[in-house]
């Protein structure tokens, strides 16, 4: 898990598949993953020490009550495996007092992730 996110965390999908294949040749201590999932779709559960799919961490999402989706569409952030995973990495780094640099192309929710993180902090 540490190798994935310290060395190979910034790779694109095709390269992540290659890293997954290489790691599977090097060790048997990886979760069973069916395509298109790779080891990147798994995390180590803190309580059990076992592999768990990131999808299990995606919170239930419902559109805000009383609002027209068309009116708020640009500001919606629907939770995905990527957003949950990025929020966890951001929270861990910030909690340890480490600086964070989010990388990604236009529209990859960098600003939205930071804004969501900041909205969860104590206002005082």
């Amino acid at each position: 898990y540490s190798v994935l996110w310290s060395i190979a965390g910034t790779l694109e999908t095709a390269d992540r598949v290659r890293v997954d294949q290489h790691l599977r040749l090097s060790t048997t201590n990886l979760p069973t993953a069916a395509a298109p999932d790779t080891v990147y779709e798994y995390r180590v559960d803190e309580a059990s020490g076992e592999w768990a799919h990131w999808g299990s961490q995606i919170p239930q999402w419902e559109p805000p009550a009383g609002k027209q989706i068309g009116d708020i569409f640009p500001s919606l952030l629907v939770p995905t495996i990527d957003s949950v995973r990025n929020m966890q990495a951001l929270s861990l780094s910030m909690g340890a007092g480490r600086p964070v640099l989010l990388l990604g192309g236009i529209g990859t929710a960098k600003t939205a992730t930071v804004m969501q993180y900041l909205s969860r902090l104590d206002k005082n």
Side-chain angles (χ1 to χ4, degrees), residues 82-95:
D82 287 332
S83 66
V84 169
R85 191 170 41 206
N86 291 340
M87 183 61 68
Q88 175 69 8
L90 178 60
S91 296
L92 288 172
S93 292
M94 294 300 292

Side-chain angles (χ1 to χ4, degrees), residues 40-63:
Y40 286 90
E41 278 67 54
Y42 291 83
R43 63 184 182 81
V44 177
D45 182 86
E46 294 176 26
S48 69
E50 299 294 321
W51 290 101
H53 197 278
W54 276 106
S56 67
Q57 298 297 300
I58 299 174
Q60 182 66 31
W61 183 86
E62 293 186 21

